[in-house]
């Protein structure tokens, strides 16, 4: 008996699950934005995203900055500091995993490639962290890699602060400006209707 023809395909359950998940996330973000400690929630997410959490903090950063454009840069800089603090955890994860990684690449025959990458990070580490701001590469990958190859820690901190601040402030300013634009546009539309 061919089960493909016996039952009609039920594509709605998969679609509903996705839709339900998106609605759940949107509801969570809305609740977090209304919470009296929304900035602390953003800091926590920025902190854990820098080493282990898969969801970037923009889900809160952007709406927070859109709601308070005059505080956008302050919010972004606070989130940046939390992200860099979390980046130090990622650095520690990489640093502690270095011996295991070294054993694995030696066993797999990639010792020279590993050494070349370590040299690259030593020479270009700060630039690679800054450039990662322009790519979709997650910051956590850079933090763990920096620790894995023992990047100079003060240089890691300074380049991370610069990179995260640039990225977060850019997102915050864009969110704030778009919010202002939307408000002005709605006001103009309302004025035309009167």
């Amino acid at each position: 008996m061919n089960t493909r023809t016996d039952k009609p395909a039920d594509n709605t359950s998969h679609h509903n699950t996705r839709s339900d998940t998106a609605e759940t996330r949107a509801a969570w973000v809305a609740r977090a934005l209304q919470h009296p400690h929304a900035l602390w929630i953003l800091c926590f997410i920025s902190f854990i995203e820098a080493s282990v959490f898969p969801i970037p903090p923009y889900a809160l950063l952007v709406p927070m900055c859109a709601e308070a454009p005059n505080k956008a840069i302050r919010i972004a800089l606070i989130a940046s500091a939390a992200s860099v603090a979390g980046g130090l955890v990622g650095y520690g994860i990489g640093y502690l995993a270095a011996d295991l990684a070294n054993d694995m690449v030696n066993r797999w025959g990639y010792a020279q490639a590993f050494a070349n990458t370590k040299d690259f990070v030593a020479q270009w580490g700060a630039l690679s962290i800054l450039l990662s701001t322009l790519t979709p590469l997650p910051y956590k990958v850079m933090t763990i890699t920096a620790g894995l190859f023992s990047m100079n820690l003060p240089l890691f901190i300074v380049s991370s602060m610069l990179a995260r601040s640039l990225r977060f402030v850019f997102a915050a300013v864009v969110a704030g400006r778009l919010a202002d634009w939307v408000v002005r546009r709605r006001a103009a539309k309302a004025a035309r209707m009167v």
Side-chain angles (χ1 to χ4, degrees), residues 1 10 26 35-36 73 82 89 129 133 143 145 167 169:
M1 181 176 345
D10 184 15
H35 196 280
I73 292 176
V89 173
I129 288 177
T133 311
T143 66
T145 301
R167 190 167 187 147
V169 167

Side-chain angles (χ1 to χ4, degrees), residues 144-158:
I144 294 169
T145 301
L148 183 66
F149 293 120
S150 301
M151 182 180 167
N152 177 295
L153 189 57
L155 188 60
F156 168 76
I157 293 168
V158 169

Side-chain angles (χ1 to χ4, degrees), residues 2-160:
N2 186 347
T3 58
R4 287 184 192 171
T5 57
D6 291 344
K7 287 198 245 177
D10 184 15
N11 292 333
T12 57
S13 65
H14 178 66
H15 177 71
N16 287 344
T17 303
R18 263 198 233 164
S19 177
D20 292 345
T21 303
E23 288 172 15
T24 302
R25 279 190 223 132
W28 183 88
V29 168
R31 280 193 314 274
L33 287 171
Q34 299 307 315
H35 196 280
H37 301 294
L39 187 58
W40 286 106
I41 295 169
L42 174 63
C43 287
F44 178 71
I45 291 173
S46 297
F47 180 86
I48 61 173
E49 181 270 339
S51 57
V52 294
F53 196 59
I55 299 175
Y58 303 108
L60 278 180
L61 177 69
V62 169
M64 284 177 77
C65 294
E67 281 192 21
N70 56 330
K71 297 179 183 176
I73 292 176
R74 178 179 167 269
I75 293 168
L77 291 175
I78 291 170
S80 298
S83 181
V84 173
L88 289 170
V89 173
Y91 185 100
I93 290 169
Y95 186 81
L96 294 174
D99 289 340
L100 175 64
N102 224 347
D103 291 344
M104 290 169 57
V105 295
N106 284 331
R107 196 170 333 129
W108 295 336
Y110 292 112
Q112 187 58 49
F114 195 73
N116 291 345
T117 305
K118 187 173 186 172
D119 291 344
F120 177 83
V121 169
Q123 184 175 0
W124 300 103
L127 184 61
S128 65
I129 288 177
L130 288 170
L131 290 177
S132 73
T133 311
L134 306 173
T135 70
L137 184 67
Y139 177 59
K140 73 182 101 316
V141 171
M142 295 306 297
T143 66
I144 294 169
T145 301
L148 183 66
F149 293 120
S150 301
M151 182 180 167
N152 177 295
L153 189 57
L155 188 60
F156 168 76
I157 293 168
V158 169
S159 58
S160 287

